Amino acid sequence: MEHDVTQTQQSPGLPGSAVWMLKSLEGEVRPVALSVARHLRDGLPAETEGFEELIFTAVHGAMSHFIDLGLGRAAPYTAIDDHFRKVGFKVAAMGQDRALVDLGINMATSELWDVLRRRAVENELSAAALNALNEMMSSYVEHLAKQVTTGFGAGTEARDQDNDVARARLIERMLSGASLDEIEMQASLGDWTLPEKVTVMAVELRDGDRIAADALSPTALTRRRDPTQVVICPPDDAEAVTKELRAAAPKARVSVCWPVPPEDVPAAWRWANRALALVNARVIPAKPVIDCLAYRTEIWLHAEPVMRRQLAQELLEPLLAESANSREILTETLLVWLETRESAPAIAAVLGVHPQTIRYRWKRINELFGESLRDPEFVTQLLLLLKASVPLWVAGDQSDFDRYQQQTG
């Protein structure tokens, strides 16, 4: 179709007066092209250096080509089409609106048409000749607009691909603990507005599953990072993004950390994944969405599992040596005392047993731990250790007892 249009416009059959007037316009091409380029440049951001030259080249070439066509000269479209596709591509790649190019085309058309009308009045050009020029110009501008559309589409696709790469790099920078300056630079490259704080989520999916970025709000960054998928978004968008995650993967479990500064993302990522591990260990209740803030103490207590295991072998050795039933009731009593420091009757009321039962148990606890129970540092460590260990034992984790048996033979 474009080939047919080109052939028609190469022989427009313009009246002689219109042809004469077009020929007289050849000296106006450069001033008009400069005017259009400068007007557009004024509305562009500073980083678009070089765009003014591209606009000038495109407008200057189009006006010269239009005059050549009107004068019946052989004038292939190839170079002109390429210029306008480049303009559309550049505008899209810069993240500017398509209306910017339309403004330039309309401005050039308007300025050229003003010159034509003035000359038409000065030279008493007939209405028929002026209408013929108007029809030719309208058809020509429509052709240029199509080239801009093609270039703009390609530029948009390229920008999206570049943004995806930049955003993936941004996620990795944040997770690796990059400086705030580096994070800000990557956010700018990825066209992502960096908030003062971010919400980090760890999404537990089935093996091989992945949630596509386009399933989430544009403000959400996401990438599969085995064994879970990371999602980072502004805190204000966290609730909406969580719903989108649930819609995209109904069987997934989402662990949502409390908001943190961008430079603390590595810690938030650990905490969110730790919460998922504690769900799997049955320390935290299994829910589709885990609010890490509600389980901050558990996440903290289990932040160093190796240290917990070592301390359990050292501090809890007297309890680990007890029979399973004795260990259970003594631990239950000791933990309530550590948390409340109450009397035997008060502890008995909490546990639903007779006060004398508590006294029997307390006598055995003193036999096991002795003077250590009067050491504030030991008591503090014991409280934290039991709060971290008892939920594991209740959930069926026998590793502390198995390890004790292996060490003692």
Side-chain angles (χ1 to χ4, degrees), residues 12 40 77 174 181 224 232 322 365:
L40 284 178
Y77 268 85
M174 284 197 282
D181 287 344
R224 179 76 194 215
I232 302 173
E322 293 288 295
I365 289 171

Side-chain angles (χ1 to χ4, degrees), residues 148-401:
V148 170
T149 298
T150 300
F152 191 84
T156 300
E157 183 177 352
R159 186 191 67 207
D160 290 344
Q161 290 175 350
D162 289 345
N163 282 350
D164 289 344
V165 172
R167 290 187 174 198
R169 194 177 293 120
L170 171 60
I171 293 173
E172 292 306 317
R173 292 292 190 278
M174 284 197 282
L175 289 175
S176 64
S179 68
L180 185 57
D181 287 344
E182 173 69 9
I183 292 172
E184 288 175 343
M185 184 185 73
Q186 291 299 331
S188 177
L189 292 174
D191 194 25
W192 193 72
T193 302
L194 183 68
E196 290 185 6
K197 289 189 175 183
V198 296
T199 295
V200 180
M201 306 179 190
V203 186
E204 190 175 64
L205 298 161
R206 291 185 173 183
D207 291 342
D209 285 354
R210 185 184 302 271
I211 295 176
D214 58 10
L216 307 179
S217 302
T219 57
L221 303 172
T222 187
R223 192 176 189 187
R224 179 76 194 215
R225 211 170 189 266
D226 293 333
T228 53
Q229 182 158 338
V230 59
V231 178
I232 302 173
C233 68
D236 290 344
D237 298 342
E239 183 177 352
V241 170
T242 301
K243 290 179 180 178
E244 292 166 348
L245 287 169
R246 296 286 299 137
K251 295 184 178 180
R253 177 170 287 120
V254 184
S255 177
V256 184
C257 191
W258 54 89
V260 299
E263 55 267 36
D264 288 343
V265 163
W269 176 239
R270 288 197 306 272
W271 298 333
N273 279 283
R274 174 60 56 191
L276 291 175
L278 293 176
V279 169
N280 294 328
R282 293 186 290 176
V283 173
I284 291 177
K287 299 177 182 178
V289 178
I290 306 300
D291 180 5
C292 292
L293 184 61
Y295 302 100
R296 187 150 51 179
T297 300
E298 287 83 352
I299 294 170
W300 175 40
L301 291 174
H302 291 271
E304 294 290 346
V306 174
M307 183 177 291
R308 189 210 64 80
R309 288 198 299 267
Q310 291 179 350
L311 286 174
Q313 297 303 308
E314 294 175 14
L315 273 63
L316 301 181
E317 182 179 358
L319 277 177
L320 298 178
E322 293 288 295
S323 66
N325 182 62
S326 175
R327 181 172 60 241
E328 180 179 347
I329 60 175
L330 293 179
T331 300
E332 177 186 59
T333 303
L334 177 57
L335 186 54
V336 174
W337 177 78
L338 289 169
E339 291 175 330
T340 65
R341 304 298 178 90
E342 291 285 0
S343 62
I347 295 175
V350 171
L351 298 179
V353 297
H354 195 278
Q356 191 59 31
T357 300
I358 297 301
R359 294 187 181 96
Y360 288 140
R361 294 180 184 178
W362 188 247
K363 180 181 179 182
R364 179 56 182 160
I365 289 171
N366 270 282
E367 290 173 353
L368 295 176
F369 292 100
E371 290 299 315
S372 296
L373 293 176
R374 293 175 175 80
D375 181 349
E377 184 175 352
F378 176 84
V379 168
T380 300
Q381 290 182 341
L382 192 61
L383 171 61
L384 296 176
L385 182 58
L386 287 177
K387 287 181 72 68
S389 301
V390 169
L392 292 173
W393 300 347
V394 172
D397 187 335
Q398 300 294 303
S399 60
D400 286 336
F401 315 121

Side-chain angles (χ1 to χ4, degrees), residues 4-6 8-9 66 69 77 132-146:
D4 294 339
V5 171
T6 302
T8 300
Q9 290 189 340
F66 174 75
L69 289 174
Y77 268 85
L133 281 172
N134 184 39
E135 289 178 6
M136 179 184 170
M137 184 178 292
S138 297
S139 178
Y140 189 80
V141 169
E142 182 181 354
H143 175 83
L144 294 182
K146 290 180 180 178

Side-chain angles (χ1 to χ4, degrees), residues 44-88:
L44 291 173
E47 61 268 21
T48 53
E49 184 179 354
F51 189 57
E52 180 182 355
E53 183 179 349
L54 179 60
I55 288 287
F56 170 77
T57 302
V59 173
H60 187 282
M63 290 178 64
S64 298
H65 186 251
F66 174 75
I67 292 173
D68 285 343
L69 289 174
L71 297 178
R73 298 168 181 165
Y77 268 85
T78 306
I80 304 304
D81 289 356
D82 185 53
H83 282 319
F84 277 81
R85 283 194 290 266
K86 284 181 179 178
V87 169

